[in-house]
């Protein structure tokens, strides 16, 4: 599914932190000047999110990308239980209880992930759970492309 968000700045938003996660919430301005980022939209009630999560933990160990999480339509206590059990890979987590911010990003369902460049421009969107193969063949090459200045 093509995304109209590719090549555009991240939408204006500000999300509060997920209480207890030990990392801040974040806003659109926080996605500029931080290098290449992967923004993952997830929820504790999402079975594919659970399947994908170990891969996010692996991606979080890379030195060339930081992960930001948007917790979509979830209860904070459920999200914290999810992260406590599976690990917490995110540099920041914003709580999107109504799902409004996720809609502004063009999210159809969870999980979805976006690669954002250093200028805060959305460069790539992945719909559904990532797999080891998709990370190797698609996500990592897209991260590399996002590191290069836009032409």
């Amino acid at each position: 599914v093509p995304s109209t968000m590719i090549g555009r700045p991240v939408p204006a938003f500000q999300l509060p932190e997920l209480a207890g996660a030990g990392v801040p919430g974040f806003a659109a301005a926080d996605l500029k000047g931080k290098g290449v980022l992967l923004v993952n939209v997830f929820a504790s009630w999402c079975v594919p999110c659970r399947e994908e999560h170990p891969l996010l933990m692996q991606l979080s160990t890379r030195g060339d990308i930081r992960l930001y999480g948007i917790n979509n339509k979830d209860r904070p206590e459920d999200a914290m239980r999810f992260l406590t059990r599976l690990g917490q890979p995110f540099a920041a987590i914003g709580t999107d209880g109504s799902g409004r911010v996720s809609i502004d990003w063009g999210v159809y369902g969870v999980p979805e992930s976006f690669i954002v460049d250093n200028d805060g421009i959305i460069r790539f969107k992945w719909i559904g759970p990532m797999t080891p193969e998709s990370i190797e063949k698609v996500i990592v090459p897209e991260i590399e492309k996002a590191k290069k200045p836009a032409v």
Side-chain angles (χ1 to χ4, degrees), residues 15-16 18 26 40-46 49 69-76 78-79 82-83 90 93-112 114:
L15 291 172
L18 174 61
F26 63 103
N40 178 258
V41 184
F42 75 99
S44 66
W45 44 263
C46 163
C49 295
I70 296 177
N71 183 234
N72 179 267
K73 296 183 182 177
D74 212 348
R75 295 183 350 180
D78 293 339
F82 175 91
L83 294 171
F90 303 110
I93 303 171
T95 301
D96 185 15
S98 70
R100 179 73 241 172
V101 169
S102 299
I103 290 169
D104 291 345
W105 277 75
V107 171
Y108 294 97
V110 290
E112 290 189 19
F114 298 83

Side-chain angles (χ1 to χ4, degrees), residues 131-141:
T131 64
E133 182 180 16
S134 68
I135 288 175
E136 177 187 343
K137 294 184 177 178
V138 180
I139 303 299
V140 169

Side-chain angles (χ1 to χ4, degrees), residues 10 12 17 24 96 105 116 144:
V10 299
E17 70 182 30
D96 185 15
W105 277 75
V116 178
E144 294 302 323

Side-chain angles (χ1 to χ4, degrees), residues 119-138:
D119 296 323
I121 305 297
I122 297 172
R123 293 293 169 200
F124 182 76
K125 177 180 180 179
W126 182 262
I127 298 172
M130 290 180 269
T131 64
E133 182 180 16
S134 68
I135 288 175
E136 177 187 343
K137 294 184 177 178
V138 180

